[in-house]
């Protein structure tokens, strides 16, 4: 995703090719994501831009906008893969473009601005994944940063140095308890910091990205503040060209993950990767030490207690579920066999009765009420069901009644029934 430095590069080229010129015409494709998600349309954008003169281009973090000679002003966000291209200049990209990317109009272009005068120039907004946004802000130019969505975002560490102070950062960190990298990635806190800038900042500050934000000392917060200002300022000054970054920066080697010589700095220090704030993070363990609680840390005693608790709780839960199923979906016992009333060997004993109103014209005695699960019992068929104490279950299974599961004479399972009824069959 384009971050503070990449957006600064876009603004640089907009000032070079667009500022001071008039837009002769606009070609825009209707896009319910690029325009529609922010309450604009391609037709409204064309009407607002055509014939207007561009006075300036400005930035706050990952957002940038054009100052027109009259309102409204277009405010844009590049999303994950958005970019601004110029028909007369291929150097705006911070990487060497592929051959097919030099064609004009470019693929995935969402709108194209045709400028009056010489040199001939067209400006295109391209976005393959359609995660970028373009909206119209109907306020005066000096009110742009006081309007949504800019006013909800935090200060820009490059252009808002009078706000982004050590004291301000200290108050922010200690007001929250989240992994520090997740805090940096949240644009509501600080504008412009994305994944690679956050990793570089944490590496330069020698801090671990998982450590909770409210656990840093004053000295560590000062290091973090200085690292943010240094990394963002250096990257913006270099217009996001990695070749101009200092050779000791982590970002020059973090992209080598999975390659033959990847995963190491030139001095041999190992680079590891973990997920923080939903993003893959590059960390150098020999430099970035944990000095306090980090996300996911649990004390040994708490972990042991948790393991014991789970070991005890799981069987009970399973047992309760099994009991509930047996009592709720099958018949309930009317009599329980104990040592005192257990019959002698060979004597017939029925521990469970079938509640069958049509069997002999009389209703069977009501079974004793048993405790079941707190879940309300689902209504079932009134047909009889049966369960044996030796584990053989008869009766309703899957909601279907089958008479041949039990002997209708002695109510025993047919595999153990030896009465005359069974022999007669």
């Amino acid at each position: 995703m384009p971050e503070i430095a990449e957006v600064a590069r876009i603004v640089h080229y907009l000032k070079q090719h667009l500022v001071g010129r008039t837009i002769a015409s606009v070609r825009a494709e209707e896009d319910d994501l690029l325009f529609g998600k922010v309450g604009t349309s391609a037709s409204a954008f064309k009407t607002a831009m055509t014939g207007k003169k561009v006075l300036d281009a400005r930035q706050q973090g990952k957002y940038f906008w054009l100052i027109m000679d009259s309102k409204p002003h277009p405010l844009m966000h590049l999303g994950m893969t958005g970019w601004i291209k110029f028909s007369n200049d291929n150097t705006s990209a911070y990487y060497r473009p592929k051959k097919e990317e030099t064609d004009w109009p470019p693929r995935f272009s969402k709108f194209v601005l045709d400028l009056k005068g010489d040199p001939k120039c067209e400006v295109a907004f391209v976005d393959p994944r359609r995660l970028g946004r373009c909206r119209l802000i109907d306020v005066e130019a000096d009110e742009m940063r006081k309007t949504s969505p800019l006013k909800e975002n935090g200060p820009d560490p490059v252009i808002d140095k009078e706000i982004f102070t050590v004291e301000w950062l200290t108050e922010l960190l200690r007001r929250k308890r989240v992994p520090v990298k997740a805090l940096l990635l949240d644009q509501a806190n600080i504008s412009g910091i994305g994944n690679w800038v956050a990793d570089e900042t944490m590496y330069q500050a020698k801090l671990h990205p998982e450590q909770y934000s409210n656990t840093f000392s004053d000295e560590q917060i000062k290091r973090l503040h200085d690292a943010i200002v240094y990394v963002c300022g250096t990257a913006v000054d270099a217009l996001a060209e990695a070749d101009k970054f200092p050779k000791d920066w982590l970002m020059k080697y973090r992209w080598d993950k999975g390659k033959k010589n990847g995963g190491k700095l030139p001095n041999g220090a190992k680079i590891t990767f973990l997920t923080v704030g939903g993003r893959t993070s590059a960390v150098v363990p020999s430099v970035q030490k944990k000095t306090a609680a980090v996300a996911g840390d649990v004390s040994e005693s708490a972990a042991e207690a948790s393991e014991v608790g789970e070991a005890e709780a799981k069987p009970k839960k399973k047992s309760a579920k099994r009991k509930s199923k047996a009592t709720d979906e099958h018949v309930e016992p009317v009599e329980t066999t104990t040592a005192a009333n257990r019959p002698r060997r060979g004597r017939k004993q029925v521990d469970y009765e079938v509640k069958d109103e049509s069997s002999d014209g009389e209703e069977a005695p009501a079974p004793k009420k048993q405790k079941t699960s707190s879940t309300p019992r689902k209504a079932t068929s009134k047909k009889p069901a049966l369960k044996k104490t030796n584990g053989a279950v008869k009766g309703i299974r899957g909601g279907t009644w089958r008479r041949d599961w039990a002997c209708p004479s002695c109510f025993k399972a047919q595999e153990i029934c030896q009465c005359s009824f069974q022999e007669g069959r």
Side-chain angles (χ1 to χ4, degrees):
M1 173 187 287
E3 303 178 29
I4 187 170
E6 290 81 5
V7 174
R9 184 179 185 87
I10 288 294
V11 172
H12 169 81
Y13 279 90
L14 287 173
K15 289 183 176 181
Q16 181 177 330
H17 296 292
L18 193 60
V19 171
R21 302 185 66 172
T22 301
I23 300 174
S25 62
V26 179
R27 303 192 302 274
E29 299 290 336
E30 286 293 352
D31 192 310
D32 57 354
L33 295 180
L34 182 78
F35 296 112
K37 278 282 188 179
V38 288
T40 314
S41 65
S43 58
F45 180 78
K46 287 190 286 187
T47 301
M49 294 295 103
T50 303
K52 295 284 190 71
K53 185 177 182 179
V54 182
L55 302 181
D56 199 3
R58 298 180 185 174
Q59 170 189 7
Q60 178 184 324
K62 297 181 182 182
Y63 281 97
F64 65 101
W65 63 97
L66 299 175
I67 299 298
M68 314 303 292
D69 56 1
S70 64
K71 58 183 183 181
H73 311 283
L75 175 66
M76 290 161 278
H77 191 290
L78 296 172
M80 290 291 292
T81 57
W83 199 251
I84 299 291
K85 293 188 176 183
F86 303 86
S87 62
N88 61 338
D89 191 351
N90 287 330
T91 62
S92 66
Y94 57 95
Y95 59 89
R96 182 175 295 177
K98 299 176 183 178
K99 182 179 179 180
E100 60 268 21
E101 293 179 345
T102 61
D103 298 335
W104 198 266
R107 294 179 65 197
F108 310 113
S109 58
K110 302 305 175 184
F111 66 78
V112 179
L113 308 178
D114 186 9
L115 306 180
K116 289 183 179 180
D118 294 322
K120 177 65 176 176
C121 178
E122 292 185 348
V123 182
F125 186 109
V126 298
D127 188 7
R129 295 184 63 181
R130 301 172 65 206
L131 294 173
R133 299 290 180 262
C134 178
R135 70 190 83 199
L136 296 172
I137 307 297
D138 193 19
V139 299
E140 297 298 332
D142 57 357
E143 296 291 319
M144 286 290 288
R145 296 193 66 185
K146 300 176 184 178
T147 309
S148 295
L150 296 179
K151 71 175 184 179
E152 283 84 21
N153 284 7
D156 184 308
V158 175
I159 64 176
D160 296 323
K161 291 183 180 179
E162 71 283 357
I163 300 175
F164 188 75
T165 62
V166 176
E167 294 74 22
W168 181 91
L169 183 60
T170 301
E171 195 277 332
L172 173 66
L173 292 175
R174 292 183 175 165
R175 191 175 69 241
K176 300 174 180 288
R177 180 177 172 81
V178 295
V180 64
K181 183 179 177 180
L183 182 144
L184 296 179
L185 292 176
D186 188 346
Q187 301 301 293
N189 297 322
I190 305 172
S191 290
I193 297 181
N195 199 35
W196 81 259
V197 171
D199 283 353
E200 192 63 50
T201 295
M202 300 306 298
Y203 172 69
Q204 297 296 331
K206 300 180 180 180
L207 301 175
H208 198 281
E210 287 185 312
Q211 187 167 330
Y212 284 119
S213 57
N214 63 343
T215 62
F216 293 105
S217 65
D218 291 343
E219 187 270 335
Q220 289 175 319
I221 296 175
K222 176 68 166 58
R223 289 195 338 238
L224 179 60
H225 171 270
D226 294 347
I228 293 173
V229 173
Y230 164 64
V231 171
C232 291
T234 303
V236 167
D237 291 342
L239 297 179
E241 292 185 27
D243 293 340
K244 296 181 181 180
F245 292 166
K247 293 183 179 180
D248 64 341
W249 273 24
L250 172 66
M251 73 87 57
K252 298 177 76 72
Y253 310 98
R254 76 189 301 276
W255 314 109
D256 295 336
K257 178 183 179 182
K259 295 182 180 179
K260 183 176 181 180
N261 297 320
K264 289 184 179 180
L265 295 177
N267 61 8
K270 185 179 180 182
I271 302 174
T272 60
F273 296 88
L274 45 86
T275 301
V276 185
R279 305 296 302 276
T280 299
S281 305
V283 181
V284 182
S286 60
V287 175
Q288 298 169 261
K289 304 289 187 180
K290 302 175 183 179
T291 59
V294 302
D297 275 358
V298 181
S299 65
E300 294 182 4
S301 58
E304 290 175 0
S306 176
E307 291 177 3
V308 171
E310 289 180 3
E312 293 178 351
K314 284 182 179 179
K316 291 180 180 179
K317 187 174 181 181
K318 187 174 181 181
S319 174
K321 184 176 180 181
R322 190 174 294 165
K323 179 179 178 182
S324 172
K325 184 175 180 180
T327 57
D328 289 350
E329 295 185 5
H330 299 288
V331 299
E332 299 174 352
V334 292
E335 185 178 345
T336 303
T337 302
T338 62
N341 62 6
R342 185 179 293 115
R344 287 181 295 177
R345 191 169 184 176
R347 182 180 297 180
K348 292 182 180 180
Q349 179 73 18
V350 179
D351 297 327
Y352 288 81
E353 293 185 0
V354 181
K355 185 177 180 180
D356 189 355
E357 299 180 7
S358 61
S359 58
D360 56 0
E362 285 186 23
E363 183 177 346
K368 293 181 180 179
K369 195 171 183 180
Q370 272 198 339
K371 292 183 179 179
T372 60
S373 65
S374 58
T375 307
R377 210 160 81 172
K378 187 176 180 181
T380 59
S381 172
K382 291 185 178 180
K383 293 182 179 180
L386 203 61
K387 181 176 180 180
K388 283 295 293 181
T389 55
N390 62 359
V393 180
K394 288 78 60 181
I396 297 176
R397 290 190 181 181
T400 304
W401 169 251
R402 291 180 56 184
R403 284 282 183 181
D404 59 347
W405 283 351
C407 175
S409 178
C410 67
F411 302 111
K412 288 188 177 180
Q414 291 190 11
E415 61 269 19
I416 62 173
C417 170
Q418 297 180 356
C419 70
S420 57
F421 179 88
Q422 182 71 10
E423 293 174 356
R425 296 183 67 184

